[in-house]
Amino acid sequence: MRVLRLTLLALAASAAWVQPAQAGLFEDDEARKAILELRGKVQANEDAAKQRAEQLNGLIQDQIQPLRRSLLDLNGQIDALRAEVAKLRGANEQLARDLADTQRKLTDQSQSVEARLKPLEPQKVSLDGREFQVTPDERNQYEAAIGLVRRGEFADAVAALNAFLKRFSASGYTDSVRFWLGNAQYGKRDYKDAIATFRAFINGNAEHPRAAEALLALANCQIELKDNKTARRSLEDLIKAYPATEAAQAAKERLHALK
């Protein structure tokens, strides 16, 4: 009995020790299982997050690629526009240089033409109390003919003055040319021609400043032709028409000489 009792006590003690140990083992398994489950969930979450991130990255890449291409195209267009602008700027600069050269050439040509035309432009002339326009050629020919008269080259002067009247029939010099033509004819002793010239001058220019001189020259031609009667009448007309002139004073002296 004693042995049996000792055996039962040993079994009881053994059972009491085994039960807590089994309970501890059970608790460790549950914890491990919970940890594994938690670790699995974390891994699953990480995998899901990674997958979602990859999906988002793919979507972003899908959206970025067209934008990159658009930016590349836009940069290409900008570069092309810059090149075109540079080309246009260069063309404009060249056009500006060409325009400046053209304007300079036109200015030079214009000045050259003006310099050539200036001698041909009409010039204002004041003669015998009147002003009128003449061409340089007209003025030169007139002055050349008058120069012949003043140098006493009367034959050449008559030819030059007649040529002037033929070429410049409407010239402002016409009256003066007729007056000097009469004087040249007188100097050449062509008294009849001189009388005709002076008569034409006086009849058409009674108010001309040289009309009195022309009438005196007419009387001198008549005196040279021994036509004293007609000369006396011309001198009397002169004194009556132009009493305050030097020609009238000379006419009085001639009248006295004719008596």
Side-chain angles (χ1 to χ4, degrees):
M1 286 297 291
R2 185 178 178 184
V3 173
L4 179 61
R5 188 179 295 148
L6 290 173
T7 302
L8 289 172
L9 288 172
L11 289 172
S14 177
W17 179 83
V18 170
Q19 187 173 358
Q22 290 179 344
L25 290 173
F26 175 77
E27 290 176 359
D28 290 340
D29 290 339
E30 290 296 327
R32 190 178 294 110
K33 188 183 295 184
I35 291 171
L36 291 174
E37 289 179 359
L38 182 59
R39 186 176 294 169
K41 290 179 180 180
V42 170
Q43 185 64 42
N45 288 335
E46 289 179 354
D47 293 341
K50 184 177 180 181
Q51 184 178 4
R52 198 175 311 147
E54 291 176 353
Q55 291 175 351
L56 289 174
N57 185 51
L59 291 173
I60 292 172
Q61 291 297 325
D62 291 342
Q63 293 178 358
I64 288 177
Q65 287 301 324
L67 289 175
R68 286 179 177 173
R69 286 193 295 270
S70 297
L71 287 174
L72 290 173
D73 292 342
L74 183 59
N75 287 332
Q77 293 175 7
I78 291 173
D79 291 339
L81 287 174
R82 285 176 178 170
E84 186 67 21
V85 169
K87 183 178 179 180
L88 290 174
R89 186 180 293 114
N92 287 337
E93 292 175 353
Q94 184 61 43
L95 286 174
R97 289 192 293 269
D98 292 343
L99 179 60
D101 291 341
T102 301
Q103 289 176 338
R104 185 166 50 254
K105 289 178 181 178
L106 288 175
T107 300
D108 294 342
Q109 291 176 357
S110 177
Q111 291 175 349
S112 177
V113 170
E114 288 179 1
R116 293 178 182 179
L117 292 179
K118 192 171 183 179
L120 303 177
E121 293 177 354
Q123 304 169 0
K124 183 181 288 187
V125 172
S126 179
L127 181 65
D128 295 332
R130 294 188 304 162
E131 288 187 349
F132 49 90
Q133 296 282 337
V134 297
T135 65
D137 188 34
E138 185 178 355
R139 181 174 183 172
N140 291 338
Q141 187 167 337
Y142 170 80
E143 291 179 349
I146 297 303
L148 292 172
V149 175
R150 289 171 179 168
R151 291 195 297 272
E153 300 176 21
F154 299 120
D156 292 337
V158 169
L161 292 167
N162 279 322
F164 182 95
L165 289 174
K166 184 177 180 180
R167 182 178 179 185
F168 303 104
S169 58
S171 172
Y173 283 124
T174 299
D175 294 337
S176 179
V177 168
R178 287 193 178 122
F179 173 79
W180 289 109
L181 174 61
N183 280 279
Q185 290 168 333
Y186 179 85
K188 192 183 172 195
R189 300 180 186 278
D190 292 335
Y191 301 121
K192 291 183 179 181
D193 290 340
I195 289 172
T197 299
F198 284 128
R199 284 190 187 280
F201 174 82
I202 295 166
N203 291 337
N205 302 276
E207 303 301 324
H208 194 279
R210 294 185 180 275
E213 295 179 50
L215 191 50
L216 179 62
L218 172 64
N220 289 334
C221 290
Q222 293 166 340
I223 291 171
E224 293 292 340
L225 291 175
K226 309 300 181 183
D227 188 359
N228 293 340
K229 182 178 179 179
T230 305
R232 187 178 294 108
R233 190 182 312 119
S234 296
L235 293 170
E236 290 172 349
D237 291 341
L238 168 56
I239 296 170
K240 182 178 179 180
Y242 309 101
T245 63
E246 293 182 3
Q249 184 61 37
K252 291 177 182 179
E253 294 175 1
R254 297 289 172 86
L255 274 176
H256 183 73
L258 286 176
K259 295 178 180 178

